[in-house]
Amino acid sequence: MPPDNALAVRLAARALGRHGLAHAYGHVSARVDGGHFLVSPPQPLGSVAVGDPGVAVPLDGPLPSRALPEVRMHRAIYRRRPDVGGICRFQSPALMALSALGRTPRVLHGLGAYFSPCPPLWPGTALVRDDDSAGAVAGMLGPGRAIVLRGNGAVTAGASLMEAACLAFFLEDAARLEIALLPAAAGGAEPIPYTADEAAQRAVGTGGLFERMWHFLCAGDSEWQLQN
């Protein structure tokens, strides 16, 4: 049974912290209805407390006082993408390193297939804290599942927050693989990216694929254990 929105926010927040996808910064959110979403509180994701209700944010009007300025990116994506039910904003190490080279992960393994041919790279280095910039990030994301922010992590968007959190892990894993292959590529051994058809065939959600990754991400969480 899918978790309710507040529980999903707490579980996803702590999961990203537990698995090294976020440190002091980052935020996750879940769409509540056509006019609102729920975002994690303004604190390190790994420290979100059991039972925390999160911060309700309207799609129109000013941000609530407890919503971090970059939550504008969530709002801009939800406005543009009615198919999106959850968003993760995180800062993971391999993605940071790859983006510093001006690159984003190619489809070199199965988990990278969800971002074929590769996520767009937002070129700006300033924090995205105004509506115009947030709207531009959402526009560059387009219908995709992720956008990498140069030297500043990434944003993933999924049909649910569970899916967005899984995509965050997938994207960092794709970046880890690309970084690991850099020495081989420097020596002339180029990796073989998936073709568009291969990526489309691999980027599936059947067989409990996202559910199993969600289980992996949440295993050991006290609230997850109570629910399962």
Side-chain angles (χ1 to χ4, degrees):
M1 181 177 181
D4 65 43
N5 289 316
L7 176 58
V9 166
R10 295 192 298 270
L11 290 174
R14 293 193 294 262
L16 265 58
R18 185 182 309 112
H19 290 276
L21 299 172
H23 36 71
Y25 313 113
H27 22 90
V28 302
S29 69
R31 189 191 292 273
V32 175
D33 54 35
H36 300 81
F37 62 95
L38 193 68
V39 71
S40 52
Q43 64 191 72
L45 289 177
S47 72
V48 173
V50 170
D52 192 299
V55 182
V57 180
L59 289 185
D60 296 304
L63 289 181
S65 60
R66 293 186 69 236
L68 292 164
E70 278 203 331
V71 169
R72 287 178 171 84
M73 281 191 289
H74 298 242
R75 185 167 64 181
I77 294 168
Y78 285 127
R79 284 172 173 170
R80 177 180 285 264
R81 296 274 303 277
D83 61 306
V84 170
I87 294 170
C88 292
R89 167 76 174 100
F90 58 100
Q91 295 174 320
S92 53
L95 274 172
M96 290 280 217
L98 199 58
S99 75
L101 294 171
R103 295 166 60 174
T104 67
R106 294 169 291 172
V107 186
L108 301 179
H109 74 333
L111 298 185
Y114 298 86
F115 314 103
S116 177
C118 62
L121 178 66
W122 175 253
T125 55
L127 294 172
V128 182
R129 291 181 165 180
D130 63 88
D131 288 332
D132 288 344
S133 297
V137 169
M140 182 175 281
L141 171 64
R145 292 183 168 109
I147 182 169
V148 178
L149 312 177
R150 183 164 71 93
N152 199 23
V155 177
T156 54
S160 65
L161 180 50
M162 174 188 75
E163 184 176 305
C166 294
L167 291 170
F169 185 93
F170 294 174
L171 187 60
E172 174 66 4
D173 201 61
R176 279 195 294 261
L177 178 60
E178 186 109 22
I179 291 289
L181 290 171
L182 285 176
E190 276 296 321
I192 305 172
Y194 284 29
T195 66
D197 286 345
E198 288 172 335
Q201 290 172 7
R202 175 57 182 81
V204 298
T206 55
L209 190 142
F210 287 109
E211 289 80 2
R212 284 181 287 148
M213 178 53 69
W214 180 243
H215 188 165
F216 168 76
L217 291 174
C218 295
D221 188 286
S222 60
E223 283 195 287
W224 168 262
Q225 292 173 330
L226 286 174
Q227 295 292 317
N228 295 272

